């Protein structure tokens, strides 16, 4: 498989760095490697990578802070790599603009799938208007109609807004805070109860089971991810 995409890997652990390099090259990606945040920033600026893998546990800088600085020098989507004890950091990273996360130890197949999704959607702005159709679900934004397996679904305005936010970001992990902001225009509260209630009613109408989702997967401790349509 050949691609022209370069992946910038910012990771201070030499073992993980080497493993990522080999795996990415075997998939046809070019690899640019940095072991500190500062070097990563200058390589991002100089090389315009297609995607960035960013370890949040770097010795020289705060990962969340680095996300903001990266966004100013390149427009590549960033997937953060976190350790198990950085649960709260991964949520902050998604809120700060990262498109996805993996937790160490991660499976290489899973990471490659996340990279493909990030490459497909990362730099694009969500489509406004138009029709989404996949997996039996058809959403017409202009007509504001939704059908599932040919039958019309009657969604409330907030359910429709929630569904379109998820579809616009399909394949990506969205935090509760981000979804609240998109649906209500501002983060309503920090307990996300309203969002959970809205999600439950949307799922009911979609016939979606949280334990075996066809459309919306719960990201524990983070938020939700739209997984319909092969995302
Ligand atoms: Ca590290």
């Amino acid at each position: 498989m050949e691609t022209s995409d370069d992946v910038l890997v910012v990771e201070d652990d030499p073992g993980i760095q080497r493993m990522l390099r080999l795996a990415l090259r075997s998939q046809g990606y070019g690899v640019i490697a940095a072991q500190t945040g500062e070097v990563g920033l200058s390589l991002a600026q100089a090389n315009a990578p297609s995607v960035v893998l960013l370890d949040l546990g770097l010795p020289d800088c705060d990962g969340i802070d680095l996300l903001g600085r990266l966004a100013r020098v390149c427009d590549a989507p960033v997937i953060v790599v976190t350790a198990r004890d950085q649960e709260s950091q991964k949520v902050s990273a998604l809120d700060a603009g990262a498109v996805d996360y993996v937790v160490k130890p991660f499976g290489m197949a899973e990471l490659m799938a996340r990279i493909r999704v990030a490459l497909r959607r990362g730099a694009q702005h969500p489509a406004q208007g138009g029709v989404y159709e996949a997996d039996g679900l058809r959403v017409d934004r202009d007509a504001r109609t939704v059908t599932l397996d040919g039958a019309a679904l009657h969604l409330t305005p907030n359910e429709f807004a929630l569904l379109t936010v998820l579809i616009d970001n399909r394949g990506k992990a969205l935090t509760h805070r981000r979804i609240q902001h998109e649906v209500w225009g501002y983060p309503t509260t920090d307990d996300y109860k309203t969002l959970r209630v809205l999600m439950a009613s949307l799922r009911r109408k979609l016939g979606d089971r949280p334990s075996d989702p066809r459309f919306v997967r719960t990201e524990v401790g983070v938020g939700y991810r739209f997984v319909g349509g092969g995302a």
Side-chain angles (χ1 to χ4, degrees), residues 171-182:
K172 292 188 201 167
L174 293 179
T175 64
H176 297 113
R177 177 176 295 270
R178 166 87 190 279
I179 297 171
Q180 282 198 333
H181 187 82
E182 300 275 344

Side-chain angles (χ1 to χ4, degrees), residues 11-12 55 57 104:
E11 165 65 72
D12 62 316
D55 174 26
K104 292 175 186 172

Side-chain angles (χ1 to χ4, degrees), residues 13 40 53 106 141:
D13 181 312
L53 293 185
F106 49 83
R141 280 157 217 275

Side-chain angles (χ1 to χ4, degrees), residues 132-150:
Y132 167 84
E133 187 162 16
D135 255 6
L137 181 65
R138 186 177 192 279
V139 179
D140 185 329
R141 280 157 217 275
D142 302 321
R144 298 186 74 81
T145 57
V146 180
T147 58
L148 178 65
D149 302 326

Side-chain angles (χ1 to χ4, degrees), residues 56 82-93 101 103 219-222:
L56 285 184
T82 70
R84 287 225 177 272
D85 57 356
Q86 295 171 315
E87 190 84 0
S88 64
Q89 265 212 312
K90 89 190 170 197
V91 176
S92 307
Y101 66 91
V103 179
E219 294 282 312
V220 176
V222 174

Side-chain angles (χ1 to χ4, degrees), residues 21-22 49 61 78 82 90 96 116 119 129 151:
R21 233 180 353 232
L22 288 171
C61 52
V78 179
T82 70
K90 89 190 170 197
R116 285 194 297 275
L119 284 171

